[in-house]
Amino acid sequence: MTSRIIGKINLDSYDFSTDVAFLNAVEKSPEEYDEFAFGYWKNLSLYNGSGRTDDTQYRNCDVAKPTEYMSGCPSIARMLSDNFDLSLVKMVRARNLISGLVIPHRDFVELDPNVSYFRVFIPIELNLNAYHSDESGVFQMKPGEVWFLDAAVSHAAVNFSSESRMFICLDFAFDGAFAEDEIFAASAQVASSSRDIHVLRPSLPSNTLSEMLDTFTHGIDAGAIKQQILEAAKVHFRFNVPIESCYDWLIKAALASPVASADVAERLRGMKRYLLEARGMNERFSLDSQ
């Protein structure tokens, strides 16, 4: 499936300012998916299988329970109950990305392949410096839009600013065929919405690519891998190149580098496998420990 807008809900009756301030004041703690991000990326569990705020890993559950964070988010709680069938939800998270990048990755690779996973995003703050992307291109989500994000394909996110960008992420899972509108509450007023979603990006000039690869080749030693990943992963937001290109560029640079140690290319291959291809439940990855 392709990431797209599946509807729009009217947010005029919800004042999220107090909720956002509460969530932003919660101290960020280590999370299951920290290796996916650079900069400030925070995921707070609002609903999950255990009801615990420190339970941050997505997994299927029979009934998702509200966590203590919901008591500080009355407007978000009302928006969720007004518009979504919470009996079907598996997890709800409040996500903020500030001056940061979530590098290209795929979700659900460690989960049951026979289950249909359906991830929905609702922005509750407008930030024109924030973007998402997947294999089809780069796009911006706007408040009130209900987005299906195809998290099973390579996708990424960025906020080029230091301003807040709060999104609510709902995860659903179905054993068989389902209709998208099943996720909405029976009384929800969901409008249709259609617009050109993809941001036009110029082609990457060949001389710019050559200069970039040369920079990576001569700078990608063991102590600079993370910075090189950050720089390479930003490129597809600005130029029309495949979202996964960053990993191939860096592996190529490491193999040709006069300064990189012999294991740098293997570390990068391991990262690409972990992020895009295969990983086990509870498996973690660190470039520092390889």
Side-chain angles (χ1 to χ4, degrees), residues 22 26 40 50 60 62 73 97 118 160 179 182 193 218 225 235 240 269:
F22 166 77
V26 174
Y40 182 88
S50 66
N60 296 330
D62 291 331
C73 302
L97 177 67
F118 196 75
F160 290 111
E182 288 182 48
S193 178
H218 289 86
I225 295 178
V235 175
N240 188 10
R269 286 194 184 102

Side-chain angles (χ1 to χ4, degrees), residues 174-275:
F174 299 91
D175 291 329
F178 66 96
E180 292 179 354
D181 60 4
E182 288 182 48
I183 69 170
F184 295 113
S187 58
Q189 300 294 313
V190 183
S192 60
S193 178
S194 63
R195 63 178 176 88
D196 293 332
I197 64 171
H198 288 117
V199 176
L200 294 177
R201 297 168 295 159
S203 299
L204 179 62
S206 58
N207 63 317
T208 302
L209 176 59
S210 297
E211 291 170 4
M212 183 179 67
L213 290 174
D214 185 65
T215 298
F216 292 152
T217 298
H218 289 86
I220 193 164
D221 59 24
I225 295 178
K226 291 183 178 179
Q227 185 60 34
Q228 303 287 22
I229 293 168
L230 175 61
E231 295 304 319
K234 288 179 181 177
V235 175
H236 84 275
F237 284 103
R238 295 191 170 103
F239 295 99
N240 188 10
V241 296
I243 188 173
E244 298 177 7
S245 295
C246 55
Y247 302 120
D248 298 326
W249 293 334
L250 293 171
I251 292 168
K252 180 179 179 180
L255 291 171
S257 176
V259 297
S261 57
D263 68 333
V264 169
E266 280 307 306
R267 294 191 201 185
L268 291 166
R269 286 194 184 102
M271 181 184 70
K272 181 180 179 182
R273 175 202 61 79
Y274 174 83
L275 292 172

Side-chain angles (χ1 to χ4, degrees), residues 44-59 61 63-67 69 89-93:
L44 297 178
S45 295
L46 304 183
Y47 280 79
N48 58 29
S50 66
R52 300 195 327 267
T53 57
D54 63 348
D55 183 359
T56 59
Q57 184 175 50
Y58 175 81
R59 62 185 181 278
C61 63
V63 178
K65 306 170 185 176
T67 72
Y69 291 143
V89 79
K90 304 302 181 184
M91 193 172 195
V92 180
R93 285 169 284 190

Side-chain angles (χ1 to χ4, degrees), residues 83-228:
N83 293 284
F84 297 95
D85 185 345
L86 295 177
S87 71
L88 299 176
V89 79
K90 304 302 181 184
M91 193 172 195
V92 180
R93 285 169 284 190
R95 291 185 154 185
N96 209 345
L97 177 67
I98 300 174
S99 297
L101 174 76
V102 179
I103 59 178
H105 67 284
R106 294 178 184 172
D107 293 315
F108 311 134
V109 297
E110 69 271 45
L111 301 176
D112 186 345
N114 297 312
V115 173
S116 297
Y117 300 98
F118 196 75
R119 176 165 292 171
V120 168
F121 275 84
I122 305 98
I124 60 173
E125 288 187 298
L126 178 64
N127 187 321
L128 297 178
N129 293 296
Y131 300 86
H132 282 76
S133 63
D134 66 12
E135 295 171 6
S136 66
V138 173
F139 43 90
Q140 265 188 330
M141 301 181 184
K142 298 181 180 180
E145 293 176 344
V146 182
W147 278 79
F148 162 68
L149 180 73
D150 191 352
V153 303
S154 298
H155 61 287
V158 70
N159 182 356
F160 290 111
S161 78
S162 59
E163 300 300 318
S164 180
R165 182 233 67 171
M166 189 67 73
F167 283 49
I168 306 302
C169 172
L170 295 88
D171 279 299
F172 300 86
F174 299 91
D175 291 329
F178 66 96
E180 292 179 354
D181 60 4
E182 288 182 48
I183 69 170
F184 295 113
S187 58
Q189 300 294 313
V190 183
S192 60
S193 178
S194 63
R195 63 178 176 88
D196 293 332
I197 64 171
H198 288 117
V199 176
L200 294 177
R201 297 168 295 159
S203 299
L204 179 62
S206 58
N207 63 317
T208 302
L209 176 59
S210 297
E211 291 170 4
M212 183 179 67
L213 290 174
D214 185 65
T215 298
F216 292 152
T217 298
H218 289 86
I220 193 164
D221 59 24
I225 295 178
K226 291 183 178 179
Q227 185 60 34
Q228 303 287 22

